Amino acid sequence: MKILVIGGGGREHALVWKIAQSPLVTKLYCAPGNPGTAALAENVPIAVDQLDQLLEFAQANTIDLTVVGPEQPLSLGIVDLFEANGLKIFGPSKDAAYIEGSKAFSKDLMQKYNVPTAAYGVFTDLVEAEAFIKRTGAPIVVKADGLAAGKGVIIAQTGDEALEAARDMLSGNAFGAAGSRVVIEEFLTGEEASFLVITDGRQIIPLASAQDHKAVFDGDQGPNTGGMGAYSPAPVVTADIHEKAMRQVLRPAIDGMAAEGRPYRGVLYAGLMVKDGQVKTLEFNARFGDPECQPLLMRMKSDIVPVLLAVANGDLTELELEWHDKAAVCVVMAAEGYPGDYRKGDAIEGLEKAAELDDLYVFHAGTAARDSLCVTNGGRVLGVTALGDTVKDAIEAAYRGVARITWPGVQYRSDIGRKALNRL
Ligand code: AMP
Ligand code: GLY
């Protein structure tokens, strides 16, 4: 089979790494890919939002299956376009990806189908938003309705801060059109978990549990990022929480999407808040999490290709996924300044030395090739991911890899996985 992976971040490097191990694959492409994927697949210089060019490439190269990594091409309708042209593709349609594309839609869906979530309001008018903020009190959470690369969520500690965030978004100054509508919601406390499933719209196969680290600094301090590290399994997801997440969140959301005429196929990612044995849903994403995908795929024992293909064919019946008993931890190494403006073009040292370590893989995210060098080219640069018999072993193994790699201004969290240790 010829497979095309769309995207060029750490998640897509992990997908390429996993797919490349399948005996079913004869040729693997990645568009646009990165220097990491170039070692395992043929990179194709087409950007993820160039849908017509991607279609032309898939047709000209008789691609048997396309796998979409990021949300943007999903929201632009890449799945609809490929399917209309008779091509198999893994991911939700444009209408189904709206579960991530609009937070207002997603919250209304949760309310309608009784999926537990924070109390909220949706506003386009600042005066009404202000009244809701006053009524609810702080801390309170203000979210841009549309896609904002994981940065459109402000946790406001005071009413004034919330009002300012809502004003910035509604005026179009922050996040442009994505902020012309805002969701304002109750602040939830507890421990977060990333709960991902693969579905054909009826059958649901849960992936192993995972936890992300959204804040940029140790101890969950500082602004939110796309994710500074992740691990799997996540002990916060006990058997009871798993059962509740499936019954109260994923099943009604997937059935609800079908009832709304937006049947959901692909990976559905529920961001959960767990507290006192209860789950609440923070958000849905229409794709694999990044960096959650990296530790999850390192732990996946089964060949992923039959599952991706079955979803593209609309029938997951009788498929299962097996997992390694080991734990996996991914530490993101980021460029100075991230998640704000960040440095680019610094030479990365030590990649070969890290590659000598067993049970460790360095996934590339924001890197570029320059002459014979590998240089930084994004906010999140690398995802150093390791397996271990326990979470503790995997943490130590990942940081042994991190210690071998450096560049000017490199930053990373030193506490990835600590919450899991606290629970053991
Ligand atoms: P979202 O993109 O909606 O998941 O928000 C990004 C991050 O903001 C989440 O992973 C949480 O860390 C935080 N967050 C979002 N909504 C809430 C909430 N209602 N209460 C507390 N934290 C939240
Ligand atoms: N790591 C969080 C996300 O992919 O949205």
Side-chain angles (χ1 to χ4, degrees):
M1 269 177 80
K2 293 196 233 172
I3 299 189
L4 167 65
V5 174
I6 293 179
R11 165 182 47 212
E12 290 77 24
H13 188 185
L15 283 164
V16 163
W17 174 84
K18 182 68 185 163
I19 292 169
Q21 295 169 39
S22 171
L24 299 170
V25 177
T26 53
K27 178 80 190 172
L28 186 53
Y29 298 95
C30 190
N34 62 40
T37 63
L40 303 165
E42 185 176 329
N43 282 352
V44 181
I46 306 177
V48 301
D49 60 353
Q50 300 297 309
L51 303 199
D52 291 333
Q53 286 182 48
L54 290 167
L55 174 66
E56 208 173 294
F57 175 85
Q59 287 174 323
N61 291 277
T62 56
I63 298 296
D64 299 297
L65 175 67
T66 298
V67 181
V68 188
E71 59 273 28
Q72 192 194 9
L74 296 169
S75 293
L76 291 172
I78 191 167
V79 170
D80 312 65
L81 178 69
F82 273 48
E83 286 183 343
N85 285 276
L87 293 173
K88 290 200 192 312
I89 182 161
F90 175 88
S93 66
K94 180 176 179 171
D95 283 352
Y98 203 50
I99 199 169
E100 173 168 4
S102 166
K103 288 186 186 290
F105 168 78
S106 176
K107 293 290 289 191
D108 290 347
L109 181 91
M110 291 188 236
Q111 176 157 282
K112 185 165 173 188
Y113 294 95
N114 293 317
V115 174
T117 190
Y120 74 103
V122 178
F123 305 96
T124 51
D125 178 73
L126 190 63
V127 176
E128 286 173 22
E130 185 173 10
F132 182 86
I133 292 167
K134 284 217 172 98
R135 225 169 34 243
T136 311
I140 188 165
V141 185
V142 183
K143 302 182 175 186
D145 178 45
L147 294 176
K151 290 163 198 155
V153 173
I154 305 292
I155 314 264
Q157 296 304 331
T158 64
D160 284 347
E161 212 184 301
L163 190 61
E164 196 185 311
R167 185 181 293 122
D168 268 5
M169 290 182 194
L170 290 173
S171 66
N173 289 341
F175 315 116
S180 60
R181 201 156 55 146
V182 297
V183 169
I184 305 183
E185 67 179 34
E186 173 199 4
F187 175 74
L188 299 176
T189 56
E191 189 172 339
E192 285 184 53
S194 304
F195 198 97
L196 283 76
V197 302
I198 291 185
T199 180
D200 60 7
R202 296 179 308 274
Q203 320 262 345
I204 306 177
I205 304 183
L207 303 191
S209 59
Q211 189 175 63
D212 189 14
H213 297 67
K214 292 244 160 69
V216 67
F217 301 129
D218 281 11
D220 295 335
Q221 300 298 306
N224 269 350
T225 68
M228 292 298 287
Y231 63 89
S232 170
V236 63
V237 183
T238 58
D240 178 54
I241 294 296
H242 178 100
E243 188 276 324
K244 283 187 177 131
M246 288 295 280
R247 179 166 48 84
Q248 300 178 348
V249 180
L250 278 310
R251 176 47 72 192
I254 288 165
D255 289 350
M257 289 297 279
E260 295 295 309
R262 299 170 184 266
Y264 194 94
R265 285 196 343 221
V267 179
L268 184 61
Y269 164 145
L272 302 179
M273 187 68 96
V274 180
K275 192 183 182 193
D276 300 333
Q278 302 300 323
V279 294
K280 286 198 174 167
T281 311
L282 293 172
E283 63 165 342
F284 285 111
N285 293 320
R287 51 177 174 79
F288 285 102
D290 187 347
E292 291 93 325
C293 189
Q294 290 82 313
L296 283 172
L297 293 189
M298 269 189 95
R299 288 193 61 221
M300 190 183 286
K301 203 184 220 171
S302 313
D303 186 349
I304 195 173
V305 172
V307 176
L308 300 174
L309 192 60
V311 171
N313 285 326
D315 188 4
L316 264 176
T317 316
E318 289 180 19
L319 279 173
E320 281 176 17
L321 283 173
E322 274 191 87
W323 300 89
H324 291 292
D325 286 336
K326 292 184 177 224
V329 171
C330 170
V331 177
V332 169
M333 300 182 78
E336 184 178 320
Y338 178 74
D341 291 337
Y342 50 82
R343 282 172 72 122
K344 268 188 187 181
D346 291 303
I348 302 170
E349 280 173 44
L351 286 169
E352 299 79 15
K353 278 203 323 217
E356 290 165 5
L357 294 167
D358 288 333
D359 279 344
L360 180 124
Y361 202 88
V362 179
F363 294 109
H364 288 233
T367 65
R370 195 180 66 202
D371 306 322
S372 60
L373 295 175
C374 187
V375 301
T376 63
N377 193 41
R380 293 189 293 172
V381 177
L382 300 170
V384 181
T385 311
L387 287 172
D389 287 338
T390 62
V391 178
K392 184 164 181 285
D393 291 342
I395 292 171
E396 285 166 9
Y399 280 107
R400 272 198 296 278
V402 168
R404 293 189 174 194
I405 301 171
T406 192
W407 66 83
V410 59
Q411 57 158 337
Y412 53 87
R413 280 180 61 157
S414 67
D415 64 347
I416 301 302
R418 195 166 294 163
K419 283 199 200 96
L421 297 185
N422 293 343
R423 281 188 172 266
L424 297 174

